[in-house]
Amino acid sequence: MLPPDTLANENIRIKTLQSLNVLDTPAEERLDRITQIAANMFNVPIALVSLVDNERQWFKSCIGLEVNETPRDISFCGHAILSDQAFVVNDTLNDIRFADNPLVTGAPFIRFYAGIPLAHDNGERLGTLCIIDTKPRDFSTDDISLLRELAVLVELELVHKIANTMDEVSGLSNKAGFKLLAPVSLKVCQKLNLKVSVVYLFMKGLLSYKQDVEKYNTFLRTTADVFKANLRATDLIAHYDENSFVALVSNANKINTQSKVNDLVKQLNQLSHAKNYDNKIEFITGVIDSSPFCDIDELIFNAFLKLNDQAM
């Protein structure tokens, strides 16, 4: 095993990393949604946002591992940050740097690794967005390009801390965040030759509660929870505007998605009644099937046009 080298400007790199004030902070939906897409895109059990500290690599986002850090001297990401290029190990057992690495010979039994360095505006490489498999595999230049697109999103969220991609009340993406992630999710479906469904949920009457901030916000959070309970972690859900939610459902057809939406609306109706909302909230839905090669704005517009024939 060969431990990773230390960069010549390591002190500056560490100070840059620490300046983000992100180490040892809780997981966040804004990054977990990206690692979940990466795991789904490449059909791997592990996807990480890994930040390389002085003596450890620490995972700000982690899909598929139960630990939140490992020593730097056995890390793959420590090697990956030595260059601004993608770092790919197709088969660890055929690589002298990793064949006897404890992360290879023991859990999580890494056989394949691909990582894209995450850089600050000053050029310092902070860590990686990486994917890991327990079996060897090829990784094409197209695959690298797709992973790099996701890494750019991580950099935007991590370094620039985009303020306008998350809805603080529901905890979901907002319209801007959805439009950042949806094109990448569509590329996943293109790569895997999967169809997609789009859901548009319009909540007629909800705005009548806008002046009662607590009641309005409670219902938004409830709706978000019901969406997450009925859809999968790989589906993109957003609080799209004041009285609407949208979802991009991958590897699904309209019949199955409509069935889930019917269950979702039934649950929302029950919750609305149980919470004694004086003005009835009417849930109007539009669901479409589509090829993943369509523009996301076109998909959302088509789903909007499919809203039930009820007065809005």
Side-chain angles (χ1 to χ4, degrees), residues 62-91:
C62 180
I63 301 295
L65 285 182
E66 295 184 359
V67 299
N68 59 13
E69 64 180 63
T70 62
R72 180 174 175 175
D73 62 359
I74 62 171
S75 72
F76 284 66
C77 298
H79 289 270
I81 65 168
L82 299 178
S83 165
D84 59 2
Q85 301 300 310
F87 185 76
V88 179
V89 182
N90 299 106
D91 188 346

Side-chain angles (χ1 to χ4, degrees), residues 88-113:
V88 179
V89 182
N90 299 106
D91 188 346
T92 56
L93 296 186
N94 293 332
D95 192 314
I96 191 173
R97 295 169 296 180
F98 303 108
D100 59 348
N101 186 299
L103 300 177
V104 173
T105 59
F109 299 101
I110 299 172
R111 288 292 299 276
F112 165 84
Y113 172 96

Side-chain angles (χ1 to χ4, degrees), residues 201-207 216 220 239 241-245:
L201 173 70
F202 176 79
M203 297 175 288
K204 184 180 179 181
L206 179 62
L207 294 186
Y216 176 79
L220 289 181
H239 179 209
D241 56 34
E242 290 182 315
N243 53 5
S244 299
F245 284 76

Side-chain angles (χ1 to χ4, degrees), residues 30-76:
R30 66 193 179 103
L31 293 171
D32 289 345
R33 59 188 176 173
I34 300 174
T35 46
Q36 187 65 66
I37 289 174
N40 182 55
M41 174 185 288
F42 297 105
N43 191 28
V44 294
I46 300 170
L48 309 167
V49 172
S50 174
L51 301 177
V52 181
D53 202 357
N54 279 299
E55 303 293 337
R56 59 174 179 161
Q57 61 171 355
W58 177 78
F59 309 136
K60 174 59 178 172
S61 180
C62 180
I63 301 295
L65 285 182
E66 295 184 359
V67 299
N68 59 13
E69 64 180 63
T70 62
R72 180 174 175 175
D73 62 359
I74 62 171
S75 72
F76 284 66

